[in-house]
Amino acid sequence: MAGRISDEDIALVRERSPIADIVGEHIQLRNAGGGNLKGLCPFHEEKSPSFNVTPTRGYWYCFGCAEGGDVITFVRRLEHLSFGEAVERLANRAGVQLRYEQGGYVPGREQGERIRLVEAHRAAAEFYVSKLSAPDAAIGRRFLSERGFERVDAERFGVGYAPAEWEALSRHLMARGFTSAELIRGGLAKEGRRGPIDRFRGRLVWPIRDITGDVIGFGARKLNEAEDGPKYLNTPESPLYKKSEVLYGVDLAKREISKRSQAVIVEGYTDVMACHLSGVPTAVATCGTAFGEEHIKVLRRLLLDQSGSQGEVVFTFDGDAAGQKAALRAFADEQKFVTQTFVAVQADGLDPCDLRIRHGEAAVRDLIAGREPLFAFAIRSVISRYDVSTNEGRLSALDAAAPIVAGIKDRSLRQLYAVDLDRWLGFNNERFVLDRITEVSAAAQPRAQRPAGPRKVADLTDPGVRTEAEVLRLAVQRPALLGPGFEALGAEAFTLPEHAALYRLIVDSGGTATAGQGGREWVDLLLRGAEDSLRGVVTRFAVEELRADLASEERYASAMLAALELVSVARAIEQLKSRMQRTNPVDEQQEYNRLFGELVALEQQRRVLKDRAAGS
């Protein structure tokens, strides 16, 4: 994407993308009363509908998986897109021309350019596929056949052939209205002496698609080994193609990755094909670069990688030294995942494609099923460099492996691997090994933070908690009904931390007295001011149904506010009575009389509040 999408255009996309229509294309929604709609959540398995949509405010929330957001968030979650990609997807649907804010900006240029380049790549992919059946592509068909792929397999993955000519693709695309500048900027061609020349010639070509399915580049394999040039040639960096963010096969694998909570990382295009054809449809590959930070971000979105996640990432590497080195590089990024990370290495060094050819598709499935935890693989790889039959060798291996074990963030897991390390090295002295690892761990992590204590969870059966929640729902959905009385409560009126935090957010955002009738603008204002941990709470309170009907909302709001004030007054009365018990009415008569006067006033206030609260 060429720059930041303007806020005005994002707002326009939301306005022209009614959430009920967008969500309704994917799940069946039914009237749930109070202007809400309800259906089965598309993000987790459930038998009873807990997915709520509030069209008037443009938000959704699932009470089953505690996820929520607006129409853009829904499309992001459903299609596994970035924020910008989701906005672009909705903009195309709604007919909104997006503008991007960045230096040198020309209105509409970046989005228009992207559309043109995507169209050019789609046309190029079709061209390459059509050429695979030509007589001069026999060498390419033979390459595929020798690797166990049939014509139908090539069609499934869009494999094509780039003719061994200088301008075959360029002439074809320019005849269809694309300019030489567009071909060069998109990486489909290079500048020649007399115009553009094709970047890929005499090669088998794989289309590389982004997560939405758009072709954004190509990977090409040399077929004539006698020719100059690298064995594999990829599209260069372009407005569409960023190799550090691209995973080949992600468009085909994304739904299975989410469904199975597993991603398999292989090294080549034919390995991805072999895995998918063998019943491992979660396989993807990097494109001309090592697996890195941006690839992790893509997979984390697909795996819904978060606390409590049971997903797994499986790396496949050759069993040779280069493969072990690649696995150890992956280890450096392992703890950026919350999911478990594994390595699958074939003992005879075969990659998934060769494994399928020699031993069949079941062998590919067995390779993935026999995965080994990456921590264990990394430790064993280090140990294998030393002669552990001698004391000197064992001690050197321990020193080499200790930093790996010490680097494991999970304390319990670190201790378990320390025990394994002792067993693998044959010391039979766990205390000695643990002390050594502890020394390394202390040196490497001198400022380790203690884990946070358990978070207080709402007891929804507690009447006081339910009253707090209902007042906050009113403050988010109908702020004008509460007026300045809400601000007079104080954060101490709310017992749950998330309730107190939401109260402070509302007050800091101007309070209910200035929020008017609320609506979408008020909720948006709250979300902009909320920390990440509080946004889900705001969305939930914006979507939850109020217990009052429209005809009695004003009276109901007054009663609920009084009920919450009543809790605070009752607490103050108890504290005052306790002070009076500690005050001598004879020796401290003046202080006792003052406290008694306050008690009479509070009791009077309690009676008034009880009458108001009874209106609920």
Side-chain angles (χ1 to χ4, degrees):
M1 193 169 62
R4 181 179 179 273
I5 303 172
S6 72
D7 292 338
E8 293 82 1
D9 286 351
I10 292 173
L12 184 60
V13 166
R14 285 196 181 101
E15 180 184 328
R16 295 188 182 177
S17 303
I19 192 165
D21 293 349
I22 302 298
V23 175
E25 292 176 357
H26 302 280
I27 63 174
Q28 183 178 6
L29 294 172
R30 296 178 179 175
N31 194 323
N36 287 345
L37 302 171
K38 182 177 287 189
L40 293 174
C41 180
F43 305 124
H44 79 285
E45 294 291 335
E46 62 177 6
K47 295 181 180 179
S48 300
S50 60
F51 187 92
N52 286 254
V53 176
T54 306
T56 55
R57 285 182 290 279
Y59 286 97
W60 61 272
Y61 188 84
C62 176
F63 294 94
C65 59
E67 295 284 347
D70 62 5
V71 67
I72 297 173
T73 310
F74 179 80
V75 173
R76 288 187 68 182
R77 285 290 313 276
L78 192 74
E79 298 292 337
H80 310 292
L81 307 177
S82 68
F83 179 85
E85 289 167 342
V87 173
E88 289 177 343
R89 175 64 63 87
L90 289 169
N92 288 336
R93 182 186 185 279
V96 175
Q97 183 73 42
L98 294 177
R99 296 166 295 172
Y100 295 77
E101 297 174 346
Q102 191 164 297
Y105 162 70
V106 176
R109 178 179 67 81
E110 291 87 349
Q111 176 66 359
E113 177 184 65
R114 177 180 172 83
I115 292 173
R116 291 283 295 172
L117 293 183
V118 167
E119 290 175 350
H121 278 75
R122 183 184 302 116
E126 294 170 353
F127 172 82
Y128 289 138
V129 167
S130 70
K131 294 301 179 181
L132 186 59
S133 58
D136 62 337
I139 186 174
R141 296 193 295 273
R142 185 165 61 252
F143 176 94
L144 291 171
S145 179
E146 289 172 351
R147 283 154 182 78
F149 302 121
E150 301 177 1
R151 182 62 182 267
V152 66
D153 301 327
E155 291 174 355
R156 174 177 172 180
F157 291 91
V159 183
Y161 175 73
E165 304 174 29
W166 289 100
E167 304 163 352
L169 176 67
S170 297
R171 285 197 308 270
H172 174 77
L173 293 181
M174 290 175 73
R176 295 188 57 172
F178 296 101
T179 66
S180 59
E182 287 173 330
L183 303 188
I184 293 170
R185 183 155 174 78
L188 295 168
K190 298 184 291 185
E191 188 70 67
R193 294 179 183 177
R194 292 177 293 181
I197 58 174
D198 295 351
R199 179 169 294 277
F200 307 118
R201 301 185 301 277
R203 290 174 176 263
L204 207 58
V205 179
W206 283 262
I208 299 171
R209 297 182 174 90
D210 64 14
I211 201 166
T212 70
D214 287 337
V215 179
I216 57 173
F218 295 93
R221 211 280 189 186
K222 182 168 65 173
L223 296 171
N224 187 345
E225 299 299 334
E227 291 183 1
D228 293 334
K231 183 176 180 179
Y232 281 97
L233 184 64
N234 283 53
T235 293
E237 294 282 308
S238 76
L240 296 182
Y241 185 83
K242 310 294 182 187
K243 65 181 180 181
S244 63
E245 303 173 4
V246 174
L247 288 168
Y248 173 72
V250 71
D251 58 307
L252 301 174
K254 63 181 181 181
R255 295 198 185 280
E256 287 297 323
I257 290 175
S258 292
K259 181 179 178 181
R260 303 186 184 204
S261 293
Q262 180 199 68
V264 175
I265 315 300
V266 298
E267 293 192 308
Y269 309 126
T270 56
D271 292 331
V272 171
M273 294 176 68
C275 283
H276 281 248
L277 295 172
S278 299
V280 184
T282 57
V284 295
T286 58
C287 301
T289 186
F291 186 83
E293 186 89 24
E294 296 304 315
H295 299 122
I296 291 174
K297 292 178 182 178
V298 173
L299 289 183
R300 289 200 66 178
R301 293 210 311 267
L302 294 174
L303 291 164
L304 305 181
D305 188 35
Q306 56 193 337
S307 180
S309 172
Q310 297 299 311
E312 59 182 45
V313 176
V314 182
F315 293 92
T316 64
F317 299 106
D318 293 341
D320 57 15
Q324 290 193 4
K325 185 177 181 181
L328 291 175
R329 281 200 307 269
F331 171 80
D333 287 324
E334 194 277 343
Q335 291 175 103
K336 293 175 183 174
F337 288 107
V338 176
T339 55
Q340 301 177 73
T341 315
F342 298 84
V343 172
V345 177
Q346 181 66 15
D348 52 13
L350 297 178
D351 58 32
C353 182
D354 290 335
L355 185 62
R356 176 174 176 264
I357 295 170
R358 296 193 190 182
H359 303 294
E361 294 178 350
V364 177
R365 295 193 295 272
D366 290 343
L367 170 66
I368 305 306
R371 63 204 179 280
E372 178 183 15
L374 182 54
F375 285 135
F377 180 83
I379 296 167
R380 286 178 179 274
S381 295
V382 169
I383 292 175
S384 67
R385 303 171 190 166
Y386 299 89
D387 179 6
V388 295
S389 65
T390 67
N391 289 332
E392 291 80 4
R394 284 200 298 272
L395 195 57
S396 296
L398 173 58
D399 287 343
I404 297 177
V405 181
I408 300 174
K409 293 180 181 178
D410 187 307
R411 183 179 178 182
S412 298
L413 194 61
R414 185 166 67 241
Q415 184 160 347
L416 289 173
Y417 273 110
V419 173
D420 284 341
L421 180 57
D422 172 58
R423 178 166 49 85
W424 293 334
L425 291 176
F427 281 110
N428 295 320
N429 188 340
E430 292 178 5
R431 184 73 269 157
F432 170 71
V433 173
L434 283 167
D435 288 344
R436 187 76 172 184
I437 299 229
T438 300
E439 290 174 12
V440 175
S441 179
Q445 299 175 334
R447 299 181 182 178
Q449 298 288 324
R450 291 192 177 190
R455 180 173 172 266
K456 188 172 182 179
V457 179
D459 178 7
L460 299 180
T461 64
D462 185 313
V465 171
R466 293 173 63 185
T467 300
E468 291 178 25
E470 189 69 357
V471 170
L472 288 169
R473 273 191 288 272
L474 285 163
V476 173
Q477 297 182 30
R478 303 283 194 276
L481 296 175
L482 297 177
F486 179 80
E487 281 75 13
L489 288 171
E492 61 275 5
F494 298 89
T495 58
L496 286 180
E498 69 177 30
H499 287 178
L502 179 55
Y503 172 84
R504 286 190 291 268
L505 172 65
I506 292 170
V507 172
D508 291 344
S509 299
T512 54
T514 62
Q517 296 302 314
R520 177 62 183 267
E521 293 77 11
W522 172 236
V523 176
D524 285 346
L525 178 63
L526 294 176
L527 285 170
R528 285 196 296 272
E531 296 181 357
D532 290 344
S533 59
L534 195 58
R535 289 196 180 109
V537 179
V538 174
T539 306
R540 171 159 56 91
F541 279 95
V543 170
E544 285 180 328
E545 185 177 356
L546 291 168
R547 298 208 296 263
D549 57 50
L550 293 174
S552 62
E553 276 189 344
E554 188 169 348
R555 181 168 55 86
Y556 176 75
S558 176
M560 292 307 301
L561 199 60
L564 190 55
E565 287 183 83
L566 188 58
V567 174
S568 297
V569 170
R571 190 182 303 124
I573 287 173
E574 291 302 316
Q575 293 172 349
L576 193 58
K577 285 182 176 179
S578 177
R579 288 176 60 188
M580 289 179 67
Q581 288 177 351
R582 299 192 303 270
T583 304
N584 189 312
V586 178
D587 298 337
E588 303 173 84
Q589 184 177 6
Q590 186 175 356
E591 176 64 11
Y592 187 87
N593 289 341
R594 186 184 69 79
L595 293 175
F596 183 77
E598 289 183 16
L599 179 61
V600 170
L602 284 173
E603 290 287 4
Q604 176 63 27
Q605 185 180 358
R606 177 156 66 174
R607 285 192 291 273
V608 172
L609 289 172
K610 276 186 176 181
D611 291 340
R612 283 174 50 197
S616 61

